[in-house]
Amino acid sequence: MTGACLFDLDGVLVDTATYHYLAWKRLAEELGFAFSERDNERLKGVSRMASLDLLLAAGGIEGLSDGDKQRLAEKKNSWYVGYIKQMTPADVLPGVLDFLSQLRKRRIRTAIGSASKNAPLILERVGIAALFDAVIDGRHTAKAKPDPDVFLLAAAAVRVPPPDCVVFEDAAAGVEAALQAGMRCVGVGDAGVLQRATVVIPGFAQVKWDVLERQLAGREGK
Ligand code: BG6
Ligand code: MG
């Protein structure tokens, strides 16, 4: 029985993963090294400061003070916020609104479980805040995915036990977080990257909840 669907935000409901990448790449270039989309895969789902540490390690930069790191993270975030301020309802990924409406018709609760401190701004810009019963994001926990905290908080907020929750994630770290929370996980995106997910879909276009739920039931205990 599924009581709630918990959604990662960046890269699942909106294509902000691209904006995160562009801003990190710009920071890397300013620091004097190249940063590829493949390098970026490890940053997906990870908190801002943990992402910065991974980026600096990729560029072989060591020994920065906490203050320096804080300034770099703020710089990246100001570029990123510049991108997301331009977002409109047209930036919701294909099929998302229809999928959320299928869930709501079946009285399945919906929540956001995101590492981002910018989640409220994005939800407001693209106009989907009212479609969620709860929003748990980077303001509520400092524990970065793959720690399960963000999804456990989201499940508690909608009062549904973890085994009755399904998480939707585009990042390997997020899939781990869902599994560690004792939840089933639908990977959204590249099946190669999301191997540990219970089921993988390329995106929400044409996805029917009833079909997906049968697939999940068939893969239980995978
Ligand atoms: C996650 C993204 O949702 O949020 C990460 O996948 C990002 O790439 C993290 O670093 C933190 O986001 P923000 O907006 O608080 O910097
Ligand atoms: Mg994501």
Side-chain angles (χ1 to χ4, degrees):
M1 240 298 274
T2 300
C5 287
L6 313 179
F7 295 86
D8 174 49
L9 176 63
D10 295 315
V12 169
L13 302 177
V14 287
D15 193 14
T16 39
T18 310
Y19 300 142
H20 277 297
Y21 170 57
L22 289 175
W24 286 127
K25 183 166 165 308
R26 184 168 167 187
L27 188 67
E29 280 162 5
E30 222 181 77
L31 293 168
F33 62 95
F35 190 66
S36 70
E37 262 190 279
R38 198 188 144 85
D39 299 328
N40 184 62
E41 205 54 52
R42 291 178 53 228
L43 273 59
K44 284 189 182 171
V46 176
S47 70
R48 195 181 305 169
M49 293 312 287
S51 295
L52 177 67
D53 284 337
L54 289 170
L55 183 99
L56 294 173
I61 296 180
E62 288 170 5
L64 293 186
S65 68
D66 285 351
D68 287 340
K69 285 196 197 175
Q70 205 60 47
R71 273 186 291 281
L72 291 176
E74 275 163 23
K75 196 176 225 188
K76 179 267 172 180
N77 191 55
S78 69
W79 292 328
Y80 176 68
V81 168
Y83 291 127
I84 59 179
K85 277 196 172 151
Q86 311 291 320
M87 292 178 85
T88 71
D91 289 302
V92 178
L93 285 167
V96 165
L97 295 182
D98 177 70
F99 188 74
L100 288 169
S101 124
Q102 294 177 48
L103 298 178
R104 297 190 75 83
K105 277 188 198 137
R106 286 161 180 74
R107 307 233 176 281
I108 294 170
R109 315 216 62 187
T110 55
I112 296 283
S114 165
S116 174
K117 293 185 171 139
N118 291 302
L121 171 62
I122 297 168
L123 291 169
E124 182 256 308
R125 293 295 316 167
V126 302
I128 58 172
L131 301 178
F132 297 93
D133 299 306
V135 176
I136 301 295
D137 59 43
R139 299 165 309 160
H140 302 96
T141 177
K143 293 186 194 158
K145 299 171 186 177
D147 189 289
D149 206 38
V150 74
F151 292 130
L152 292 172
L153 289 174
V158 294
R159 297 198 185 82
V160 174
D164 296 340
C165 292
V166 175
V167 168
F168 292 79
E169 257 295 347
D170 70 317
V175 172
E176 286 310 318
L179 298 178
Q180 282 195 39
M183 300 173 183
R184 291 159 293 157
C185 184
V186 176
V188 183
D190 182 342
V193 176
L194 304 169
Q195 281 168 16
R196 299 251 302 142
T198 323
V199 169
V200 179
I201 56 174
F204 288 99
Q206 322 298 336
V207 173
K208 298 283 172 252
W209 166 252
D210 297 337
V211 176
L212 188 58
E213 192 171 38
R214 279 198 294 277
Q215 284 178 301
L216 284 164
R219 307 279 296 182
E220 231 144 345
K222 182 185 96 136

